Amino acid sequence: MPLRIDVITIFPDYFAPLQLSLMGKAQQSGLVTIAIHDLREFTSDRHRSVDDTPYGGGAGMVMTPEPWGQAIDAVVTDQSTLIVPTPAGKLFSQPVAAELAHSTHLIFACGRYEGIDQRVVEYYRPRIDVRELSIGDYVLAGGDVATLAMIEASVRLVPGVLGNPESLVEESHQLPGVEYPSYTKPPTWRGLDVPEVLLSGHHDQIARWRAEQSTIRTTHNRPDLLPGS
Ligand SMILES: CC(C)N1CCN(Cc2ccc(Cn3ccc4ccc(-c5n[nH]c(N)c5C#N)cc43)cc2)CC1
């Protein structure tokens, strides 16, 4: 049963990259099907409007609920998970990507402006799994880029999508922290040599060196990922 993904957005062209590379191959192989829907196709007024002023005042505009209700109703099943990207969401992570990779049907609601009327989440929450997710503590102009990131992170974990599942095995067994530095040919480049140990063929020494390098990089770049932090 392929993973089905429906993306609802006012900028369908944002998702053209999903036809390329690994995501494109995943679709061609039938492991994943991805459909992009223009929210404005679900409006009923002449101007195809999707936003209005916020109740209670405040800056900007809020996306009105009805087009979202029409669009989600057009694709939803009882197996659906509705993902709503938002700065206020729970943090998206590799474990969440693994959960999404094993879903049956994902619907991504890509908001813009100041967000989507909260009643959309309130309406679907009693009916299907609804997840408000954020990809990080910085502010984007909408949910489209976040959706691209979450789709790529999740789809690469769908069994059969990655040509070399070995890289997933290594990724999953990796010690907490960031990965070690990687090198390839040539052995010397602009006077810089590949670390000698990597050319030695001593796999135990290579593994030890890589673990040390991971710890050094994690300590420097991501001390929050160190064990016990
Ligand atoms: C007081 C009141 C008027 N302010 C109202 C706006 N608040 C913050 C605010 C700022 C910008 C946007 C733009 N936007 C629209 C839909 C949407 C979806 C995701 C994201 C998003 N940003 N960063 C992430 N990691 C995200 C994810 N995932 C951003 C989105 C939405 C929301 C700040 C408070």
Side-chain angles (χ1 to χ4, degrees):
M1 177 81 164
L3 166 61
R4 176 166 178 81
I5 298 176
D6 286 289
V7 177
I8 305 168
T9 174
I10 60 172
F11 294 119
D13 292 351
Y14 249 90
F15 295 90
L18 291 177
Q19 301 310 316
L20 305 173
S21 186
L22 191 69
M23 295 300 105
K25 292 187 178 75
Q27 294 182 77
Q28 286 153 14
S29 65
L31 290 166
V32 177
T33 63
I34 303 178
I36 314 298
H37 308 273
D38 184 344
L39 180 68
R40 293 190 193 277
E41 297 298 318
F42 297 91
T43 59
S44 51
D45 65 306
R46 192 157 52 94
H47 299 293
R48 293 163 45 105
S49 53
V50 292
D51 64 303
D52 207 329
T53 52
Y55 278 122
M61 302 292 273
V62 174
M63 300 190 90
T64 54
E66 183 54 17
W68 287 104
Q70 294 293 332
I72 295 168
D73 283 353
V75 298
V76 75
T77 73
D78 57 5
Q79 301 289 308
S80 303
T81 296
L82 175 63
I83 311 285
V84 183
T86 167
K90 290 184 179 177
L91 190 59
F92 180 74
S93 62
Q94 192 69 7
V96 174
E99 288 172 36
L100 299 188
H102 291 90
S103 304
T104 302
H105 181 214
L106 301 175
I107 304 171
F108 286 89
C110 302
R112 282 276 161 167
Y113 305 97
E114 300 298 328
I116 302 171
D117 186 302
Q118 194 61 24
R119 287 171 292 180
V120 174
V121 165
E122 288 166 19
Y123 176 82
Y124 288 101
R125 190 151 266 158
R127 294 168 169 83
I128 57 172
D129 183 20
V130 177
R131 306 183 75 162
E132 294 179 280
L133 296 175
S134 168
I135 62 167
D137 294 331
Y138 40 83
V139 180
L140 301 169
D144 306 83
V145 164
T147 293
L148 273 172
M150 290 191 271
I151 288 176
E152 183 163 304
S154 304
V155 167
R156 70 186 285 278
L157 299 179
V158 170
V161 167
L162 271 192
N164 171 16
E166 185 57 31
S167 45
L168 277 185
V169 171
E170 188 170 331
E171 210 171 87
S172 62
H173 291 173
Q174 187 178 320
L175 295 170
V178 299
E179 71 280 1
Y180 48 78
S182 296
Y183 300 82
T184 185
K185 303 180 189 60
T188 297
W189 177 73
R190 294 189 181 184
L192 299 170
D193 294 336
V194 170
E196 198 63 39
V197 65
L198 297 180
L199 308 177
S200 69
H202 294 308
H203 296 293
D204 290 350
Q205 291 179 25
I206 292 169
R208 199 162 37 249
W209 180 87
R210 284 176 164 173
E212 285 162 5
Q213 290 298 313
S214 171
T215 301
I216 291 166
R217 282 179 117 191
T218 304
T219 304
H220 186 264
N221 296 340
R222 289 296 304 272
D224 58 298
L225 295 180
L226 286 171
S229 59

